[in-house]
Amino acid sequence: MVAQMQAWADQHAEATILGVGHGTAIDLLVRHILGLDVRQAPPYRIANASINIFRYQDKQWEIVTLNDIGHLISLA
């Protein structure tokens, strides 16, 4: 996951990219960015249909939005 995201970031340096993925794939990128051990339970949960926004700038990944489910509240 990290290698693919890095490849897309390098190939589309000035573009905005929309990707759709499963929670485990998103979790792997988040763990990479935060430096978390993949063998430990994370201190967060990636909800189904959540919006997660990442930025790659100056060779650094940043989490802009993690696990946003605000768009689902009206469906409850």
Side-chain angles (χ1 to χ4, degrees):
M1 177 61 179
V2 173
Q4 185 58 61
M5 290 295 289
Q6 190 64 56
W8 284 334
D10 292 338
Q11 291 168 358
H12 307 283
E14 298 300 319
T16 298
I17 301 169
L18 171 67
V20 178
H22 291 278
T24 300
I26 296 165
D27 177 47
L28 290 173
L29 181 62
V30 171
R31 286 172 187 256
H32 172 75
I33 294 169
L34 298 178
L36 300 176
D37 189 335
V38 296
R39 297 169 292 185
Q40 302 293 323
Y44 54 83
R45 180 181 156 292
I46 304 296
N48 289 339
S50 63
I51 295 174
N52 303 279
I53 301 174
F54 306 98
R55 178 180 299 134
Y56 185 71
Q57 188 173 343
D58 299 325
K59 300 192 184 288
Q60 293 287 332
W61 283 102
E62 174 187 5
I63 299 170
V64 177
T65 302
L66 182 63
N67 209 34
D68 179 2
I69 57 169
H71 60 287
L72 300 175
I73 293 176
S74 66
L75 300 175

Coordinates of all heavy atoms in Angstrom, one line a residue:
M1 N 0.8 -1.2 0.0 CA 0.0 0.0 0.0 C 0.9 1.2 0.0 O 0.6 2.2 -0.8 CB -0.9 0.0 1.2 CG -1.8 1.2 1.4 SD -2.9 1.4 0.0 CE -3.7 2.9 0.4
V2 N 1.8 1.3 0.9 CA 2.7 2.5 1.0 C 3.5 2.7 -0.3 O 3.5 3.8 -0.8 CB 3.7 2.4 2.2 CG1 4.7 3.5 2.2 CG2 2.9 2.3 3.5
A3 N 4.0 1.6 -0.9 CA 4.7 1.7 -2.2 C 3.8 2.2 -3.3 O 4.2 3.1 -4.1 CB 5.3 0.4 -2.5
Q4 N 2.6 1.8 -3.4 CA 1.7 2.2 -4.4 C 1.3 3.7 -4.2 O 1.3 4.4 -5.2 CB 0.4 1.4 -4.5 CG -0.5 1.7 -5.6 CD 0.1 1.6 -7.0 OE1 0.6 0.5 -7.3 NE2 0.3 2.7 -7.7
M5 N 1.0 4.1 -3.0 CA 0.6 5.5 -2.7 C 1.8 6.4 -3.1 O 1.7 7.5 -3.6 CB 0.2 5.6 -1.3 CG -1.1 5.0 -1.0 SD -2.5 5.8 -1.8 CE -2.6 7.4 -1.0
Q6 N 3.0 5.9 -2.8 CA 4.2 6.7 -3.1 C 4.4 6.8 -4.6 O 4.7 7.9 -5.1 CB 5.5 6.0 -2.5 CG 6.7 6.9 -2.5 CD 6.5 8.1 -1.7 OE1 6.3 8.1 -0.5 NE2 6.7 9.3 -2.3
A7 N 4.2 5.8 -5.3 CA 4.3 5.8 -6.8 C 3.3 6.8 -7.3 O 3.6 7.6 -8.2 CB 4.1 4.4 -7.3
W8 N 2.0 6.8 -6.9 CA 1.0 7.7 -7.4 C 1.4 9.1 -7.0 O 1.2 10.0 -7.8 CB -0.4 7.4 -6.8 CG -1.0 6.2 -7.5 CD1 -0.8 5.7 -8.7 CD2 -2.0 5.3 -6.9 NE1 -1.6 4.6 -9.0 CE2 -2.3 4.4 -7.9 CE3 -2.6 5.3 -5.7 CZ2 -3.3 3.4 -7.6 CZ3 -3.6 4.3 -5.4 CH2 -3.9 3.4 -6.4
A9 N 1.9 9.3 -5.8 CA 2.3 10.7 -5.4 C 3.4 11.2 -6.3 O 3.4 12.4 -6.7 CB 2.7 10.7 -3.9
D10 N 4.4 10.4 -6.6 CA 5.5 10.8 -7.5 C 5.0 11.0 -8.9 O 5.5 12.0 -9.6 CB 6.6 9.7 -7.4 CG 7.3 9.6 -6.1 OD1 7.2 10.6 -5.3 OD2 7.9 8.6 -5.8
Q11 N 4.1 10.2 -9.4 CA 3.7 10.3 -10.8 C 2.7 11.5 -11.0 O 2.6 12.0 -12.1 CB 2.9 9.0 -11.2 CG 3.8 7.8 -11.3 CD 3.0 6.5 -11.5 OE1 1.8 6.5 -11.4 NE2 3.8 5.4 -11.6
H12 N 2.0 11.9 -10.0 CA 1.0 12.9 -10.1 C 1.3 14.0 -9.1 O 0.4 14.4 -8.3 CB -0.4 12.4 -9.9 CG -0.7 11.2 -10.8 ND1 -1.0 11.3 -12.1 CD2 -0.7 9.9 -10.6 CE1 -1.2 10.2 -12.7 NE2 -1.0 9.2 -11.7
A13 N 2.5 14.6 -9.1 CA 3.0 15.4 -8.0 C 2.1 16.7 -7.8 O 1.9 17.0 -6.6 CB 4.4 15.9 -8.4
E14 N 1.5 17.3 -8.7 CA 0.7 18.5 -8.5 C -0.8 18.2 -8.6 O -1.6 19.2 -8.7 CB 1.1 19.5 -9.5 CG 2.6 20.0 -9.4 CD 2.9 20.6 -8.0 OE1 2.1 21.3 -7.5 OE2 4.0 20.3 -7.5
A15 N -1.2 17.0 -8.7 CA -2.6 16.6 -8.9 C -3.3 16.2 -7.6 O -2.6 15.8 -6.6 CB -2.7 15.5 -9.9
T16 N -4.6 16.2 -7.7 CA -5.4 15.7 -6.6 C -5.9 14.3 -7.1 O -6.4 14.2 -8.2 CB -6.6 16.6 -6.3 OG1 -6.1 17.8 -5.8 CG2 -7.5 15.9 -5.2
I17 N -5.7 13.3 -6.3 CA -6.1 11.9 -6.7 C -7.1 11.4 -5.8 O -7.0 11.5 -4.6 CB -4.8 11.0 -6.6 CG1 -3.7 11.5 -7.5 CG2 -5.2 9.6 -7.0 CD1 -2.4 10.8 -7.3
L18 N -8.2 10.8 -6.4 CA -9.2 10.1 -5.6 C -9.0 8.6 -5.6 O -8.8 8.0 -6.7 CB -10.6 10.4 -6.1 CG -11.7 9.6 -5.5 CD1 -11.9 10.0 -4.1 CD2 -13.0 9.9 -6.3
G19 N -8.9 8.0 -4.5 CA -8.7 6.6 -4.4 C -9.8 6.0 -3.4 O -10.3 6.7 -2.5
V20 N -10.2 4.8 -3.7 CA -11.1 4.1 -2.9 C -10.4 2.8 -2.4 O -9.8 2.1 -3.2 CB -12.4 3.7 -3.6 CG1 -13.4 2.9 -2.8 CG2 -13.0 5.0 -4.2
G21 N -10.5 2.5 -1.1 CA -9.8 1.4 -0.6 C -10.5 0.8 0.6 O -11.4 1.4 1.2
H22 N -10.0 -0.4 1.0 CA -10.5 -1.1 2.2 C -9.8 -0.6 3.4 O -8.7 0.0 3.3 CB -10.3 -2.6 2.0 CG -11.2 -3.2 1.0 ND1 -12.5 -3.5 1.2 CD2 -11.0 -3.5 -0.3 CE1 -13.0 -4.0 0.1 NE2 -12.1 -4.0 -0.8
G23 N -10.4 -0.8 4.6 CA -9.9 -0.3 5.8 C -8.5 -0.7 6.1 O -7.6 0.0 6.6
T24 N -8.1 -2.0 5.8 CA -6.8 -2.5 6.1 C -5.7 -1.7 5.2 O -4.7 -1.4 5.7 CB -6.7 -4.0 5.8 OG1 -7.6 -4.7 6.6 CG2 -5.3 -4.5 6.1
A25 N -6.0 -1.5 4.0 CA -5.1 -0.7 3.1 C -4.9 0.7 3.7 O -3.8 1.2 3.7 CB -5.6 -0.7 1.7
I26 N -6.0 1.3 4.0 CA -5.9 2.7 4.6 C -5.1 2.7 5.9 O -4.3 3.5 6.2 CB -7.3 3.3 4.8 CG1 -8.0 3.4 3.5 CG2 -7.3 4.6 5.6 CD1 -9.5 3.7 3.6
D27 N -5.4 1.7 6.7 CA -4.7 1.5 8.0 C -3.2 1.4 7.8 O -2.4 2.0 8.6 CB -5.2 0.3 8.8 CG -4.5 0.0 10.0 OD1 -4.3 1.0 10.8 OD2 -4.1 -1.1 10.3
L28 N -2.8 0.6 6.8 CA -1.3 0.5 6.5 C -0.7 1.8 6.2 O 0.5 2.1 6.7 CB -1.1 -0.5 5.4 CG -1.4 -2.0 5.8 CD1 -1.3 -2.9 4.6 CD2 -0.5 -2.5 6.9
L29 N -1.3 2.6 5.4 CA -0.8 3.9 5.1 C -0.7 4.8 6.4 O 0.3 5.5 6.6 CB -1.5 4.6 4.0 CG -1.0 6.0 3.6 CD1 0.4 5.9 3.0 CD2 -1.9 6.7 2.6
V30 N -1.8 4.8 7.1 CA -1.8 5.6 8.4 C -0.7 5.2 9.3 O 0.0 6.0 9.9 CB -3.2 5.5 9.1 CG1 -3.2 6.1 10.4 CG2 -4.3 6.1 8.2
R31 N -0.5 3.9 9.5 CA 0.5 3.4 10.4 C 1.9 3.8 9.9 O 2.8 4.2 10.7 CB 0.5 1.8 10.4 CG -0.6 1.3 11.3 CD -0.7 -0.2 11.1 NE -1.9 -0.8 11.7 CZ -1.8 -1.4 12.9 NH1 -0.7 -1.6 13.6 NH2 -2.9 -1.9 13.4
H32 N 2.1 3.8 8.6 CA 3.4 4.2 8.0 C 3.6 5.7 8.3 O 4.7 6.1 8.8 CB 3.4 4.0 6.5 CG 4.5 4.6 5.8 ND1 5.8 4.1 5.8 CD2 4.6 5.8 5.0 CE1 6.6 4.9 5.1 NE2 5.9 5.9 4.6
I33 N 2.6 6.5 8.1 CA 2.7 8.0 8.4 C 3.0 8.3 9.8 O 3.9 9.1 10.2 CB 1.5 8.7 7.9 CG1 1.3 8.6 6.4 CG2 1.5 10.2 8.4 CD1 0.0 9.1 5.9
L34 N 2.3 7.5 10.7 CA 2.4 7.8 12.2 C 3.6 7.0 12.8 O 3.9 7.2 14.0 CB 1.1 7.4 12.9 CG -0.1 8.3 12.5 CD1 -1.3 7.8 13.2 CD2 0.1 9.7 12.8
G35 N 4.2 6.1 12.0 CA 5.3 5.3 12.6 C 4.8 4.2 13.6 O 5.6 3.9 14.5
L36 N 3.6 3.7 13.4 CA 3.1 2.7 14.3 C 3.5 1.3 13.8 O 3.6 1.0 12.6 CB 1.6 2.8 14.3 CG 1.0 4.2 14.8 CD1 -0.5 4.2 14.7 CD2 1.5 4.4 16.2
D37 N 3.7 0.4 14.8 CA 4.0 -1.0 14.6 C 2.8 -1.7 14.0 O 1.7 -1.6 14.6 CB 4.4 -1.6 15.9 CG 5.0 -3.0 15.7 OD1 4.7 -3.7 14.8 OD2 5.8 -3.4 16.6
V38 N 3.0 -2.4 12.9 CA 1.8 -3.1 12.3 C 1.4 -4.4 13.1 O 0.4 -4.9 12.9 CB 2.1 -3.6 10.9 CG1 2.3 -2.4 10.0 CG2 3.3 -4.5 10.8
R39 N 2.2 -4.7 14.1 CA 1.9 -5.9 15.0 C 1.1 -5.5 16.2 O 0.6 -6.4 16.9 CB 3.2 -6.6 15.4 CG 4.0 -7.2 14.2 CD 5.3 -7.6 14.6 NE 6.1 -6.4 15.0 CZ 7.4 -6.3 15.3 NH1 8.1 -7.4 15.4 NH2 8.0 -5.2 15.6
Q40 N 0.9 -4.2 16.4 CA 0.1 -3.7 17.6 C -1.2 -3.2 17.1 O -1.4 -2.7 16.0 CB 0.9 -2.6 18.3 CG 2.3 -3.0 18.7 CD 2.2 -4.0 19.9 OE1 1.4 -3.9 20.7 NE2 3.2 -4.9 19.9
A41 N -2.2 -3.3 18.0 CA -3.5 -2.8 17.7 C -3.4 -1.3 17.6 O -2.8 -0.6 18.4 CB -4.5 -3.2 18.8
P42 N -4.0 -0.7 16.6 CA -3.9 0.8 16.4 C -4.8 1.5 17.4 O -5.8 0.9 17.9 CB -4.4 1.0 15.0 CG -5.3 -0.1 14.7 CD -4.8 -1.3 15.5
P43 N -4.5 2.8 17.7 CA -5.4 3.5 18.7 C -6.6 4.2 18.0 O -7.1 5.2 18.5 CB -4.4 4.6 19.2 CG -3.5 4.8 18.1 CD -3.3 3.5 17.4
Y44 N -7.0 3.7 16.8 CA -8.1 4.2 16.0 C -8.7 3.1 15.3 O -8.2 2.0 15.3 CB -7.6 5.3 15.0 CG -6.5 4.7 14.1 CD1 -6.8 3.9 13.0 CD2 -5.1 4.9 14.4 CE1 -5.8 3.4 12.2 CE2 -4.1 4.3 13.7 CZ -4.5 3.6 12.6 OH -3.5 3.0 11.8
R45 N -9.9 3.4 14.7 CA -10.6 2.4 13.9 C -11.0 3.1 12.6 O -11.4 4.2 12.6 CB -11.8 1.9 14.6 CG -12.7 0.9 13.9 CD -13.9 0.5 14.7 NE -15.0 0.0 14.0 CZ -15.8 0.7 13.1 NH1 -15.5 2.0 12.9 NH2 -16.8 0.1 12.5
I46 N -10.8 2.4 11.4 CA -11.2 3.0 10.2 C -12.6 2.5 9.9 O -12.8 1.3 9.7 CB -10.2 2.5 9.0 CG1 -8.8 2.9 9.3 CG2 -10.7 3.1 7.7 CD1 -8.5 4.3 9.4
A47 N -13.5 3.4 9.9 CA -14.9 3.1 9.7 C -15.2 2.8 8.3 O -14.6 3.4 7.4 CB -15.8 4.2 10.3
N48 N -16.2 2.0 8.0 CA -16.7 1.8 6.6 C -17.2 3.1 6.1 O -17.9 3.8 6.8 CB -17.8 0.7 6.6 CG -17.3 -0.7 6.9 OD1 -16.1 -1.0 6.7 ND2 -18.2 -1.6 7.3
A49 N -16.9 3.3 4.8 CA -17.3 4.5 4.1 C -16.8 5.8 4.7 O -17.3 6.9 4.4 CB -18.8 4.6 4.0
S50 N -15.7 5.8 5.5 CA -15.2 7.0 6.0 C -14.3 7.7 5.0 O -13.8 7.1 4.0 CB -14.3 6.7 7.3 OG -13.2 5.8 6.9
I51 N -14.2 9.0 5.2 CA -13.3 9.8 4.3 C -12.0 10.0 5.0 O -11.9 10.5 6.1 CB -14.0 11.1 4.0 CG1 -15.3 10.9 3.2 CG2 -13.1 12.1 3.2 CD1 -16.1 12.1 2.9
N52 N -10.9 9.7 4.3 CA -9.6 9.8 4.8 C -8.8 10.6 3.7 O -8.7 10.2 2.6 CB -9.0 8.5 5.0 CG -9.8 7.7 6.0 OD1 -9.8 7.8 7.2 ND2 -10.7 6.8 5.4
I53 N -8.2 11.7 4.1 CA -7.5 12.6 3.2 C -6.0 12.6 3.6 O -5.7 12.9 4.8 CB -8.1 14.0 3.1 CG1 -9.6 13.9 2.7 CG2 -7.3 14.9 2.2 CD1 -10.3 15.2 2.8
F54 N -5.2 12.4 2.6 CA -3.7 12.4 2.9 C -3.1 13.4 1.9 O -3.5 13.5 0.8 CB -3.1 11.0 2.6 CG -3.8 9.9 3.4 CD1 -4.8 9.1 2.9 CD2 -3.4 9.7 4.7 CE1 -5.4 8.1 3.6 CE2 -4.1 8.7 5.5 CZ -5.1 7.9 4.9
R55 N -2.0 14.0 2.3 CA -1.3 14.9 1.5 C 0.2 14.5 1.5 O 0.7 14.2 2.5 CB -1.4 16.4 2.1 CG -0.7 17.4 1.3 CD -0.8 18.8 1.9 NE -2.2 19.2 1.9 CZ -2.8 19.7 2.9 NH1 -2.2 20.0 4.0 NH2 -4.1 20.1 2.8
Y56 N 0.7 14.6 0.3 CA 2.2 14.3 0.1 C 2.8 15.6 -0.4 O 2.5 16.1 -1.5 CB 2.4 13.2 -0.8 CG 3.9 12.8 -0.9 CD1 4.5 12.1 0.1 CD2 4.6 13.1 -2.1 CE1 5.8 11.8 0.0 CE2 5.9 12.7 -2.2 CZ 6.5 12.1 -1.1 OH 7.9 11.7 -1.2
Q57 N 3.7 16.2 0.4 CA 4.3 17.5 0.1 C 5.7 17.5 0.7 O 5.9 17.1 1.8 CB 3.4 18.6 0.7 CG 3.7 19.9 0.3 CD 2.7 20.9 0.9 OE1 1.6 20.5 1.2 NE2 3.1 22.2 0.9
D58 N 6.6 18.0 -0.1 CA 8.0 18.1 0.3 C 8.5 16.7 0.9 O 9.2 16.7 1.9 CB 8.2 19.2 1.4 CG 7.8 20.5 0.9 OD1 8.0 20.8 -0.3 OD2 7.2 21.3 1.7
K59 N 8.2 15.7 0.2 CA 8.6 14.3 0.5 C 8.1 13.8 1.8 O 8.7 13.0 2.5 CB 10.1 14.2 0.3 CG 10.6 14.5 -1.1 CD 12.0 14.1 -1.2 CE 12.6 14.5 -2.6 NZ 12.1 13.7 -3.7
Q60 N 7.0 14.4 2.3 CA 6.5 14.0 3.6 C 5.0 13.7 3.4 O 4.3 14.5 2.8 CB 6.6 15.1 4.7 CG 8.0 15.4 5.1 CD 8.6 14.3 5.9 OE1 7.9 13.6 6.6 NE2 9.9 14.1 5.9
W61 N 4.5 12.6 4.1 CA 3.1 12.3 4.1 C 2.4 13.1 5.3 O 3.1 13.2 6.4 CB 2.8 10.8 4.3 CG 3.0 10.1 3.0 CD1 4.1 9.4 2.6 CD2 2.1 10.0 1.9 NE1 3.9 8.8 1.4 CE2 2.7 9.2 0.9 CE3 0.9 10.6 1.6 CZ2 2.1 9.0 -0.3 CZ3 0.2 10.3 0.4 CH2 0.9 9.5 -0.5
E62 N 1.2 13.5 5.1 CA 0.5 14.2 6.2 C -1.0 13.6 6.2 O -1.5 13.4 5.1 CB 0.5 15.7 6.0 CG -0.4 16.4 6.9 CD -0.5 17.9 6.5 OE1 0.0 18.3 5.5 OE2 -1.2 18.6 7.3
I63 N -1.5 13.4 7.3 CA -2.9 13.0 7.4 C -3.7 14.3 7.6 O -3.5 15.0 8.6 CB -3.2 12.1 8.6 CG1 -2.4 10.8 8.5 CG2 -4.7 11.7 8.8 CD1 -2.3 9.9 9.7
V64 N -4.6 14.6 6.7 CA -5.4 15.8 6.7 C -6.7 15.5 7.4 O -7.2 16.2 8.3 CB -5.7 16.3 5.3 CG1 -6.6 17.5 5.3 CG2 -4.4 16.6 4.6
T65 N -7.4 14.4 7.0 CA -8.6 13.9 7.6 C -8.5 12.4 7.8 O -8.1 11.7 6.9 CB -9.8 14.2 6.7 OG1 -9.8 15.6 6.4 CG2 -11.1 13.8 7.3
L66 N -8.9 11.9 9.0 CA -8.9 10.5 9.3 C -10.2 10.1 9.8 O -10.7 10.6 10.8 CB -7.8 10.2 10.3 CG -7.6 8.7 10.6 CD1 -7.2 7.9 9.4 CD2 -6.6 8.5 11.8
N67 N -10.8 9.1 9.1 CA -12.0 8.5 9.6 C -13.2 9.4 9.8 O -14.1 9.3 10.7 CB -11.7 7.8 11.0 CG -12.6 6.6 11.2 OD1 -12.9 5.9 10.3 ND2 -12.9 6.4 12.5
D68 N -13.4 10.3 8.8 CA -14.5 11.3 8.8 C -15.8 10.5 8.4 O -15.8 10.0 7.2 CB -14.2 12.4 7.9 CG -15.3 13.5 7.9 OD1 -16.4 13.3 8.5 OD2 -15.2 14.4 7.1
I69 N -16.8 10.5 9.2 CA -18.1 9.8 8.8 C -19.2 10.8 8.9 O -20.4 10.4 8.9 CB -18.3 8.6 9.7 CG1 -18.4 9.0 11.2 CG2 -17.4 7.5 9.4 CD1 -18.9 7.9 12.1
G70 N -18.9 12.1 8.9 CA -19.9 13.1 9.0 C -21.0 13.1 7.9 O -22.2 13.4 8.2
H71 N -20.6 12.6 6.7 CA -21.5 12.5 5.6 C -22.5 11.4 5.8 O -23.5 11.3 5.1 CB -20.8 12.3 4.3 CG -19.9 11.1 4.3 ND1 -18.7 11.0 5.1 CD2 -20.1 9.9 3.7 CE1 -18.2 9.8 4.9 NE2 -19.0 9.1 4.0
L72 N -22.3 10.5 6.8 CA -23.2 9.4 7.0 C -24.2 9.6 8.1 O -25.2 8.9 8.2 CB -22.4 8.1 7.4 CG -21.3 7.7 6.4 CD1 -20.5 6.5 7.0 CD2 -22.0 7.3 5.1
I73 N -24.1 10.7 8.9 CA -24.9 10.9 10.0 C -26.4 11.1 9.6 O -27.3 10.6 10.3 CB -24.4 12.1 10.8 CG1 -23.1 11.7 11.5 CG2 -25.4 12.6 11.9 CD1 -22.4 12.8 12.2
S74 N -26.6 11.7 8.5 CA -28.0 11.9 8.1 C -28.7 10.6 7.7 O -29.9 10.6 7.6 CB -28.1 12.9 7.0 OG -27.5 12.4 5.8
L75 N -27.9 9.6 7.4 CA -28.5 8.3 7.1 C -28.9 7.4 8.2 O -29.6 6.5 8.1 CB -27.4 7.5 6.2 CG -27.0 8.2 5.0 CD1 -25.9 7.3 4.3 CD2 -28.1 8.4 4.0
A76 N -28.5 7.8 9.4 CA -28.8 7.0 10.6 C -30.2 7.1 11.0 O -31.0 7.9 10.9 CB -27.9 7.5 11.8

